Amino acid sequence: MTISLLFKKITPFAKPYKNLIFYTLVLTLVGSFAAQINAFILKYTVDTISDLMVAKEPLSRGMHLIGIISAVLLVKEIVYSFIQFGQKFYGEKLRIFIARDFSQQIVEKILTYKMAFYTSEENESGKLQTRIDSGISSLTRLVQNFFIDILPLFANAIVALVCMFMANVYVGLVGLAVIPIYFYISQTQAGKLSGFRRQMRKYRESKNNRIINLIDSILVIKSFVREPEEADRHEKIQFEMTENQMQTRKTSFIFDSLKNFIEQIAVVAIIVLTAFLVLDNQITIGAIMFHIMLFSNVSAPIRQLHRIYDEVNDALIYSESFFEILESDDLIEGSGTFIPDKIKGHIVIEDVSFEYPNGTHALRDISFQIKPNQITALVGLSGAGKSTVINLLDKFYEPTAGRILLDGVDLRNYDTKFLRKNIGMVLQRNHIFKGSIFENIEYGKIGSSKEEIVKAAKEAYIHEQIMELPQGYDSGAHLLSGGQQQRIAIARLFLKNPPIIFLDEPTANLDAIATEQIKNSLDAIKKDRTVIIISHSISQIIDSNEIVVMEKGRVVEKGIHEDLYDHRGTYYKIFSAMANSLNLDKISKTLNH
Ligand code: ADP
């Protein structure tokens, strides 16, 4: 990222606020002229007083002068206060507006991205958040400082330098000579610091990420009594950060002293030069103060130069990954345009292979059919590729080879949003949002009436339990048990009413009683739809019309339960293992007893 590229990227965000920027610029220009008034007044005062001192009764004649000076300075300060207020206020307004636009745009953008974006390692939730946050804050700080600090100070400096040249060319040259030296030192300083800052960014990201992980896995940490190890790990990164911070400060202080030294040399040079010119009668005595004050207007902004470099550098570093996220157009989910009147749900998977972006070969040349309005079970050991099939059917990913047809049309041609509106999913753990039960069910069809919500809840066999809660449908959905949450998710699906349903181990996280309780709701949602179920529950597998057996990314067997069992292959092995784990002998003995 370069500065010009950075500005080019920020420009579209600043465009809507053209007027605001224009007012700020006008105020800046007026302000930079007003800032020089003190120097002129002081020169005039010193010269007039030194003339008066040789005349008789200086005090009575000088009172008039003091009155004028006070009035002019007072008016100038009042006007200047307004200018500064306007400048700061408009600058701040610009920052707030642009910050809002940045965060809105990036959220809107990442919502359009493919699943691969969210599952990639560099976008783990903590890291992604830090990248977005620091990008926005450094960019908005840059915008704000540009209008509040950088621009006014530099406008000031240029006007002051012009005044110095107009007063005396040699003095102007001394003032001018300092600038490139300052630039050089500040640039070297910024260059030396940028490595440290880049490193710091990495530390911050991984520190945040670690703290999030720490909270996520606190149960494991505590149960294995790994607190000291976790603390040590944190301490290590903390020590590295401290070392980095100390190096940064040390470098800064060395360069600051150097710059201070140069500035003082310039002040002395101006005093000596002006004193010489005054003594040589080339200029009046008032010029000494005049030149020094003008020079302080020149040096003030360049004293800030390294800070500005820092900020620009921060923006360069942090905005890099921000814009990378914002501009990853290749990550935008593709979509076809095909929208049929109705989806029947006949799915044909033809020679499909799939590789995840990280290189995992999850599916290898699989082919099978899913008949409409039937229940198809995908069976296989963990890692066989069952969930991957569902990921492909929902167009979260596209097959690397082969094709998937839905009612005879390639899935790629379907309008993605339309497709997803026609597919419902029940997962191991369905996401229940913070909010009431009502809101959580309503997510299936925003704007549903109370009657529709209640109907859906009844269909999912959860209505009565909701009514038993003190606040009924207004109760927080978070407080419900796993089985109840699962039924809320099913109620949500009844509202959505899609013709195709994917069930990915819907009872895996539930105990036997909860599983028994949601059986009714599951049976209800499966009715008259095309259903694909992944399950380790024998009863759900036996209930299906068709079984597809997968092993290591391949389809190894397909058919109905009885045939597959008799075939004595993979299905037989998996099924027997499941049955044995239930300890059927003992169960049947107990039940017969
Ligand atoms: P199953 O559902 O049968 O347990 P999956 O379809 O989840 O199996 O996984 C198949 C393979 O793909 C596994 O090796 C798994 O590690 C890998 N895998 C699953 N999801 C991802 C992902 N988002 N990125 C990379 N690899 C993945």
Side-chain angles (χ1 to χ4, degrees):
M1 182 76 81
T2 60
I3 295 180
S4 60
L5 191 63
L6 180 64
F7 273 82
K8 217 164 105 190
K9 283 176 191 285
I10 296 180
T11 313
F13 287 90
K15 245 192 182 139
Y17 309 109
K18 278 199 300 266
N19 291 347
L20 205 58
I21 293 174
F22 177 73
Y23 297 141
T24 317
L25 290 180
V26 170
L27 285 177
T28 302
L29 196 67
V30 178
S32 54
F33 281 105
Q36 317 306 326
I37 289 180
N38 279 10
F40 280 94
I41 292 286
L42 204 69
K43 177 176 185 295
Y44 173 74
T45 311
V46 172
D47 286 345
T48 318
I49 288 180
S50 59
D51 285 349
L52 285 178
M53 291 308 279
V54 292
K56 280 183 188 151
E57 293 184 44
L59 189 60
S60 58
R61 290 178 61 189
M63 284 312 280
H64 174 67
L65 172 76
I66 292 173
I68 292 177
I69 292 170
S70 309
V72 172
L73 286 180
L74 189 66
V75 171
K76 178 237 147 184
E77 283 311 324
I78 291 172
V79 173
Y80 199 57
S81 303
F82 277 105
I83 292 173
Q84 274 194 322
F85 167 79
Q87 233 171 22
K88 286 203 171 121
F89 181 71
Y90 285 145
E92 186 74 6
K93 198 168 163 182
L94 200 64
R95 182 188 70 86
I96 293 171
F97 283 16
I98 289 187
R100 181 192 62 192
D101 295 354
F102 272 134
S103 17
Q104 186 59 29
Q105 282 220 6
I106 194 139
V107 169
E108 280 176 16
K109 196 70 188 264
I110 62 174
L111 279 172
T112 67
Y113 285 171
K114 292 178 193 166
M115 216 52 162
F117 170 79
Y118 293 92
T119 49
S120 85
E121 202 180 317
E122 64 169 11
N123 289 335
E124 283 171 30
S125 58
K127 281 191 193 165
L128 182 63
Q129 190 190 347
T130 314
R131 281 168 74 191
I132 293 179
D133 281 353
S134 23
I136 293 178
S137 69
S138 69
L139 281 170
T140 47
R141 229 181 311 131
L142 181 71
V143 170
Q144 180 197 27
N145 286 331
F146 184 73
F147 288 101
I148 292 183
D149 286 347
I150 307 179
L151 207 58
L153 279 171
F154 276 88
N156 245 351
I158 292 168
V159 175
L161 202 60
V162 171
C163 292
M164 281 176 86
F165 266 102
M166 278 161 57
N168 186 283
V169 175
Y170 297 112
V171 176
L173 282 175
V174 174
L176 185 65
V178 178
I179 294 177
I181 302 176
Y182 247 83
F183 262 95
Y184 175 72
I185 297 175
S186 301
Q187 204 170 17
T188 319
Q189 178 181 15
K192 283 231 181 325
L193 289 179
S194 81
F196 293 133
R197 301 174 84 81
R198 219 173 268 268
Q199 192 58 37
M200 201 65 188
R201 182 187 79 164
K202 291 219 177 86
Y203 286 140
R204 281 215 188 96
E205 278 182 5
S206 58
K207 197 177 126 183
N208 285 358
N209 201 29
R210 270 204 192 147
I211 292 177
I212 290 173
N213 284 342
L214 201 84
I215 296 167
D216 280 350
S217 38
I218 190 68
L219 207 72
V220 181
I221 296 172
K222 283 201 179 286
S223 68
F224 282 91
V225 200
R226 287 283 176 263
E227 290 96 334
E229 282 82 356
E230 290 298 327
D232 281 351
R233 249 197 259 178
H234 193 255
E235 193 184 32
K236 187 166 170 282
I237 193 165
Q238 206 66 50
F239 268 74
E240 285 171 9
M241 267 172 94
T242 315
E243 176 63 23
N244 191 303
Q245 279 169 316
M246 292 310 294
Q247 291 284 355
T248 313
R249 289 286 162 268
K250 197 169 112 189
T251 315
S252 293
F253 292 147
I254 291 173
F255 278 94
D256 286 351
S257 311
L258 188 62
K259 283 186 296 192
N260 211 21
F261 178 71
I262 304 276
E263 188 186 340
Q264 291 313 317
I265 297 274
V267 170
V268 171
I270 287 173
I271 294 176
V272 171
L273 182 61
T274 314
F276 170 79
L277 294 172
V278 171
L279 289 174
D280 199 33
N281 270 333
Q282 291 193 35
I283 47 178
T284 58
I285 188 161
I288 297 186
M289 287 309 287
F290 180 59
H291 289 162
I292 301 246
M293 284 191 83
L294 286 179
F295 181 68
S296 78
N297 280 351
V298 175
S299 65
I302 48 180
R303 219 179 297 137
Q304 309 269 350
L305 208 57
H306 76 280
R307 199 168 62 80
I308 292 161
Y309 265 117
D310 281 354
E311 254 153 28
V312 173
N313 259 328
D314 261 4
L316 288 177
I317 295 168
Y318 290 114
S319 67
E320 217 168 281
S321 48
F322 177 83
F323 283 113
E324 210 176 274
I325 298 174
L326 191 67
E327 292 169 354
S328 299
D329 285 351
D330 53 326
L331 284 175
I332 295 177
E333 273 187 315
S335 175
T337 49
F338 181 64
I339 298 184
D341 293 336
K342 198 169 167 290
I343 287 187
K344 284 209 288 291
H346 183 218
I347 300 169
V348 179
I349 296 178
E350 270 181 11
D351 308 322
V352 166
S353 294
F354 177 70
E355 204 175 299
Y356 277 104
N358 71 354
T360 308
H361 249 296
L363 298 178
R364 294 164 195 272
D365 200 16
I366 61 166
S367 297
F368 63 92
Q369 290 203 21
I370 294 163
K371 298 194 189 97
N373 297 330
Q374 288 209 353
I375 302 169
T376 305
L378 298 183
V379 175
L381 298 180
S382 160
K386 305 177 298 289
S387 305
T388 306
V389 171
I390 288 189
N391 279 340
L392 295 189
L393 293 179
D394 224 341
K395 272 178 91 172
F396 288 144
Y397 297 93
E398 282 197 355
T400 321
R403 59 178 191 160
I404 299 173
L405 303 174
L406 173 59
D407 297 340
V409 177
D410 195 324
L411 221 51
R412 292 187 186 92
N413 298 336
Y414 274 87
D415 180 284
T416 306
K417 288 198 172 120
F418 172 83
L419 183 77
R420 290 190 189 147
K421 279 184 190 152
N422 282 282
I423 293 176
M425 285 225 235
V426 181
L427 308 172
Q428 257 183 49
R429 202 176 296 191
N430 280 286
H431 199 72
I432 294 295
F433 298 100
K434 242 194 161 81
S436 66
I437 293 176
F438 184 94
E439 287 164 344
N440 266 282
I441 299 180
E442 195 210 11
Y443 203 75
K445 191 173 136 208
I446 305 276
S448 301
S449 66
K450 177 84 192 215
E451 288 72 39
E452 288 175 291
I453 305 271
V454 171
K455 183 166 169 274
K458 280 184 180 160
E459 285 172 318
Y461 294 91
I462 183 75
H463 171 70
E464 270 145 40
Q465 285 189 25
I466 297 175
M467 292 315 286
E468 281 166 18
L469 297 169
Q471 288 170 295
Y473 280 85
D474 294 329
S475 318
H478 260 86
L479 305 172
L480 298 173
S481 72
Q484 288 170 327
Q485 290 193 356
Q486 209 67 341
R487 271 176 287 166
I488 295 288
I490 294 173
R492 197 191 271 164
L493 276 193
F494 271 110
L495 264 193
K496 185 177 178 182
N497 196 23
I500 301 174
I501 298 258
F502 299 148
L503 304 164
D504 193 346
E505 306 198 35
T507 54
N509 272 328
L510 303 180
D511 55 39
I513 298 200
T515 304
E516 176 63 28
Q517 282 173 344
I518 84 155
K519 187 174 179 334
N520 287 340
S521 4
L522 276 179
D523 288 344
I525 195 81
K526 286 194 292 199
K527 226 169 146 256
D528 298 330
R529 297 176 211 267
T530 305
V531 178
I532 298 169
I533 180 162
I534 298 175
S535 177
H536 290 123
S537 142
I538 287 187
S539 71
Q540 284 167 3
I541 297 172
I542 298 180
D543 266 353
S544 51
N545 310 98
E546 174 92 17
I547 296 167
V548 176
V549 186
M550 297 186 67
E551 195 174 12
K552 294 183 185 155
R554 292 180 200 280
V555 171
V556 288
E557 288 162 20
K558 49 195 165 189
I560 57 169
H561 166 73
E562 290 75 12
D563 292 351
L564 290 176
Y565 189 80
D566 290 343
H567 180 63
R568 309 254 146 175
T570 310
Y571 180 75
Y572 171 80
K573 269 191 255 161
I574 295 174
F575 188 86
S576 308
M578 281 181 191
N580 288 338
S581 73
L582 290 177
N583 209 346
L584 284 176
D585 278 355
K586 235 179 177 165
I587 292 173
S588 61
K589 264 185 209 156
T590 312
L591 292 177
N592 290 334
H593 185 60

